[in-house]
Amino acid sequence: MIYDRILIRYGEISTKGRNRNKFIDKLRKSVRLTLSDFPNAVIESDRDRMYVLLNGEDGNEVASRLKKVFGIQSFSLAIKVEKDLEKMKAAALNLFSRLYREGQTFKITAKRSDKKFELDTNEINHEFGGHLLKNIPGLMVDVRNPDINLQIEVRSEAVYLSAETIPGAAGLPVGSSGKAMLMLSGGIDSPVAGYLSMKRGLDVEGVHFFSPPFTSDRARQKVIDLSKKLAEIGGQFTLHIVPFTEIQQSIHKQVPANYTMTTTRRLMLQITDRLREKHGGLAIITGESLGQVASQTLESMYAINEVTSTPIIRPLITMDKTDIMGIAREIETLEISNLPYEDCCTVFVPSSPKTKPKLEKVQHFESFFDFEPLIEKAVNNTETLTINPGMEQSLLEDDLF
Ligand code: ATP
Ligand code: MG
């Protein structure tokens, strides 16, 4: 590996005033988590920059992890050099020679935050450009569209050499906006909703309802696999798995068939809200998209939402399915979501759910039965898993081999 470090540029964080340190701390935490299996990597940060010192770890692999971390505007593999002109020139030539392939063009882009340095940016460009031209026969300058853009950044503490600026995932560092519970099904939409929420800095915990034996272990594993993808993005992911069989059976006994879907969703929301309270969240996220299915009409949302005043975040509400699928493909959840294992809602889905349920009616139907003890029991028996990005065992792998 030519490079000894990765230089990370902050995104929107850099516009934060007094909260800046808090944001930088969260970003540091995200970077540390995604790089937890690179034990030699050391993270350093200051007000303007973060550095990952590679200490022998593979820079390209570290870079591919960093691409997914929110709060990073861009980053570059870099070399730190002492602020000594001769040493800088030697290092620049060494780096350049290792990147250069015959026939390629180049330019130098100098930046100087240390105004006391002996050369200004123009002089750096000339000095280093000349040095490379003199030492590499046939090398040509192209300032508009160079194959290699060697960046020389002179800062107060040292000089950094790099040749490529890689775009980061932008957004805000995970956790900088507080915590919310994501209602995570095995479908296409909810993982995307989770991803978009994480991108705006939310610390997201998943809540999944499952109904054994009507839903299988494979359906459960599917949600764990989706969580793993979200863990790759957030560094770690907590998944709460709620046993829902008894409640679904009671709903089907108590509520007329065309209202079971509405009541089911109301109970899911209530349980998610209890878990939210228990784990210190301030909002609930769903993958709902307006008009997509019976439960996602405005009338349905109105009847379902009535059980809580907790803010419900619906990142996909105005998005088209094809756009949602595009994001799912990008974050590599689509393939998992498309696996055919049944979800608790599909197993119990009535043949004709009300698309325009009336709130008074659903309240009336629910009034004949006390769901409270069942809600409490479900919350108490909820299983909580901590999912790490590197965790093995997955359905896709199962299917392949
Ligand atoms: P998805 O693709 O996310 O499953 P969907 O288009 O299938 O969404 P619904 O089945 O109506 O739509 O679900 C709407 C939302 O309700 C989901 O996006 C998810 O947030 C939540 N939800 C549905 N089923 C479950 C479940 N078994 N556990 C947790 N949340 C669920
Ligand atoms: Mg679904």
Side-chain angles (χ1 to χ4, degrees):
M1 191 71 203
I2 319 170
Y3 299 103
D4 66 354
R5 70 193 54 225
I6 294 181
L7 179 167
I8 295 173
R9 299 175 194 88
Y10 303 144
E12 242 177 90
I13 301 179
S14 51
T15 63
K16 303 287 169 204
R18 273 178 303 157
N19 284 333
R20 193 181 180 113
N21 284 340
K22 195 186 98 190
F23 281 86
I24 293 170
D25 277 352
K26 295 287 183 191
L27 181 60
R28 241 186 120 106
K29 208 173 141 207
S30 301
V31 171
R32 189 176 299 289
L33 265 171
T34 33
L35 300 183
S36 55
D37 47 342
F38 297 89
N40 298 319
V42 172
I43 301 161
E44 283 180 358
S45 59
D46 59 35
R47 275 184 63 78
D48 313 303
R49 290 293 168 76
M50 192 170 288
Y51 298 96
V52 177
L53 314 187
L54 293 168
N55 290 320
E57 300 290 3
D58 185 324
N60 291 322
E61 278 182 34
V62 171
S64 77
R65 294 283 179 88
L66 292 180
K67 273 186 200 161
K68 295 183 176 175
V69 176
F70 296 128
I72 295 179
Q73 191 60 34
S74 68
F75 60 92
S76 298
L77 287 148
I79 303 175
K80 183 178 184 175
V81 191
E82 212 181 296
K83 243 190 313 181
D84 169 289
L85 206 50
E86 287 317 308
K87 284 185 183 156
M88 285 164 63
K89 277 157 97 175
L93 180 59
N94 181 33
L95 170 62
F96 193 85
S97 312
R98 296 170 76 164
L99 300 170
Y100 175 69
R101 300 277 164 274
E102 219 179 300
Q104 286 185 319
T105 58
F106 86 112
K107 80 166 180 183
I108 306 273
T109 305
K111 256 197 201 159
R112 193 180 68 141
S113 57
D114 173 14
K115 302 295 178 206
K116 288 196 223 105
F117 188 65
E118 55 193 288
L119 305 180
D120 67 18
T121 50
N122 264 331
E123 289 165 340
I124 298 173
N125 288 342
H126 279 116
E127 186 77 23
F128 284 78
H131 186 61
L132 296 186
L133 286 167
K134 199 169 69 194
N135 284 283
I136 301 175
L139 179 63
M140 278 190 313
V141 177
D142 181 347
V143 288
R144 287 244 175 85
N145 196 17
D147 295 312
I148 302 174
N149 179 3
L150 186 68
Q151 295 164 56
I152 302 179
E153 195 179 351
V154 182
R155 292 172 67 85
S156 62
E157 75 285 3
V159 175
Y160 298 93
L161 306 178
S162 61
E164 195 186 358
T165 300
I166 302 161
L172 296 172
V174 168
S176 60
S177 301
K179 187 191 279 188
M181 310 307 268
L182 167 68
M183 296 179 70
L184 183 62
S185 69
I188 292 169
D189 303 325
S190 41
V192 174
Y195 163 79
L196 292 173
S197 307
M198 287 161 118
K199 184 166 185 184
R200 282 316 293 172
L202 280 173
D203 175 6
V204 174
E205 292 192 6
V207 177
H208 176 68
F209 294 85
F210 89 131
S211 300
F214 304 102
T215 57
S216 64
D217 273 352
R218 302 206 110 199
R220 183 176 181 273
Q221 183 61 39
K222 180 179 173 181
V223 177
I224 294 175
D225 282 351
L226 288 169
S227 301
K228 231 182 286 172
K229 286 290 169 196
L230 294 175
E232 281 172 23
I233 295 159
Q236 200 173 54
F237 192 78
T238 302
L239 175 65
H240 306 279
I241 300 182
V242 185
F244 203 50
T245 317
E246 212 178 335
I247 293 186
Q248 283 198 294
Q249 286 169 327
S250 311
I251 294 171
H252 282 262
K253 264 187 234 140
Q254 297 301 322
V255 177
N258 57 358
Y259 266 86
T260 53
M261 189 270 300
T262 312
T263 295
T264 304
R265 294 307 164 114
R266 282 164 60 90
L267 285 159
M268 279 183 167
L269 195 53
Q270 284 175 73
I271 293 170
T272 305
D273 209 22
R274 300 278 173 99
L275 291 167
R276 171 200 66 74
E277 209 178 343
K278 196 168 162 183
H279 297 279
L282 289 175
I284 293 169
I285 305 157
T286 75
E288 287 162 307
S289 167
L290 193 60
Q292 211 186 73
V293 288
S295 62
Q296 297 173 27
T297 61
L298 269 188
E299 289 81 358
S300 270
M301 278 190 254
Y302 182 81
I304 294 164
N305 214 151
E306 187 252 353
V307 298
T308 179
S309 60
T310 297
I312 314 278
I313 298 174
R314 300 180 174 90
L316 313 183
I317 197 71
T318 60
M319 284 175 72
D320 290 346
K321 192 75 182 186
T322 46
D323 296 334
I324 299 169
M325 286 170 75
I327 301 176
R329 200 169 290 121
E330 230 171 82
I331 62 170
E332 297 170 358
T333 54
L334 186 63
E335 197 185 350
I336 303 170
S337 295
N338 275 336
L339 293 169
Y341 314 116
E342 68 299 320
D343 180 58
C344 65
C345 300
T346 44
V347 173
F348 284 89
V349 78
S351 51
S352 56
K354 269 262 182 257
T355 53
K356 295 184 176 181
K358 294 268 177 298
L359 180 58
E360 315 75 62
K361 280 198 175 169
V362 71
Q363 284 169 335
H364 174 73
F365 297 138
E366 288 173 12
S367 69
F368 298 101
F369 186 77
D370 182 13
F371 285 103
E372 183 51 37
L374 291 183
I375 292 175
E376 226 164 87
K377 192 170 159 196
V379 169
N380 290 335
N381 291 334
T382 291
E383 180 192 1
T384 297
L385 306 177
T386 303
I387 294 172
N388 292 302
M391 250 169 66
E392 282 171 30
Q393 201 203 9
S394 97
L395 278 176
L396 287 174
E397 282 159 21
D398 260 21
D399 285 351
L400 285 173
F401 302 111

